[in-house]
Amino acid sequence: MAFAKGRLVVGLALVAAACSNGTTGTTTGTATTTDPVVSIANQGGSMEGHTPTGFAGMGTGLFVGDNLNPSFPEGLGVQTYLTFTLPADLTISHALLISDALTTAGNPFGDLGTLLAESVVYPTFGPEIFDLDAAGDPVACRVDGDSLVECDVTAAVQDAIDDERDTVQFRLRFERQADNDGQADLAMFYRTNSNTNEAGLFSLHLTRIP
């Protein structure tokens, strides 16, 4: 793996997790079902990726943790940014951020503490948003088994609706940036290639108010 200030190039040789998306009614922003729960896929592509926690840089993979590569500075971590397009005229009672595409390297949840999701607002994804102020309080995410992560983001989605934003965006980070042991502790979200981010690696499950 190579590292350069201002941009990260990640070459993790990993075995992909064999996960399936068990949600139904998934959409990328338009409610297409009469069910009370609407599932919206993350956008993927240029609006998402990871940055270091302490300096300007970026990469396309969805990584959270420390020691991303051998040249990564001790004491700093990486964090992931996600974007979801919201349906129009939305009213909700509950919102869950969910991924069943988790793979780990090292012991991120043991060494770095709780995985946190916090609301952020950014017009474009790039190196400059590494120290972006959060738009709300972080919430603790729950890990179930080897591949499932779930975060209650009701307040963040409601704030986006109240502010009349057509997207809601999140930053995922660990409670501790790093454990300074020189070993990679990473939560990675992918299905086939760890260096790509794709729509559907995360989903936003919205319980609508009729």
Side-chain angles (χ1 to χ4, degrees):
M1 292 174 285
F3 163 80
K5 189 172 181 180
R7 186 166 183 88
L8 298 178
V9 180
V10 185
L12 294 172
L14 297 167
V15 178
C19 300
S20 61
N21 189 339
T23 61
T24 59
T26 299
T27 176
T28 56
T30 303
T32 58
T33 176
T34 57
D35 292 340
V37 177
V38 177
S39 181
I40 303 171
N42 64 296
Q43 284 188 3
S46 62
M47 286 296 286
E48 301 181 340
H50 69 268
T51 74
T53 58
F55 59 92
M58 62 174 282
T60 56
L62 303 184
F63 306 121
V64 189
D66 69 0
N67 292 106
L68 184 62
N69 60 48
S71 300
F72 202 84
E74 287 292 333
L76 297 179
V78 290
Q79 55 199 355
T80 275
Y81 291 79
L82 301 168
T83 296
F84 296 82
T85 301
L86 293 175
D89 302 321
L90 180 67
T91 56
I92 65 162
S93 61
H94 198 219
L96 288 176
L97 176 64
I98 296 175
S99 176
D100 65 351
L102 169 68
T103 295
T104 60
N107 186 27
F109 296 99
D111 292 348
L112 304 179
T114 302
L115 182 67
L116 303 174
E118 56 192 358
S119 174
V120 288
V121 179
Y122 56 93
T124 58
F125 174 75
E128 68 281 355
I129 69 169
F130 78 96
D131 60 351
L132 187 65
D133 289 337
D137 295 331
V139 297
C141 299
R142 183 178 67 88
V143 181
D144 187 3
D146 294 330
S147 62
L148 184 66
V149 171
E150 181 179 282
C151 322
D152 186 335
V153 293
T154 305
V157 175
Q158 187 61 59
D159 286 345
I161 294 169
D162 292 343
D163 292 342
E164 299 183 340
R165 300 198 304 268
D166 58 5
T167 63
V168 61
Q169 296 166 310
F170 300 99
R171 176 170 54 208
L172 298 182
R173 61 179 176 86
F174 275 106
E175 199 172 11
R176 298 176 59 195
Q177 290 190 59
D179 61 3
N180 299 296
D181 67 355
Q183 302 298 314
D185 297 300
L186 294 168
M188 302 165 287
F189 299 90
Y190 69 97
R191 299 197 191 282
T192 58
N193 185 336
S194 63
N195 291 311
T196 62
N197 77 74
E198 306 166 7
L201 293 177
F202 284 82
S203 58
L204 193 59
H205 291 230
L206 305 176
T207 302
R208 299 183 299 173
I209 299 174

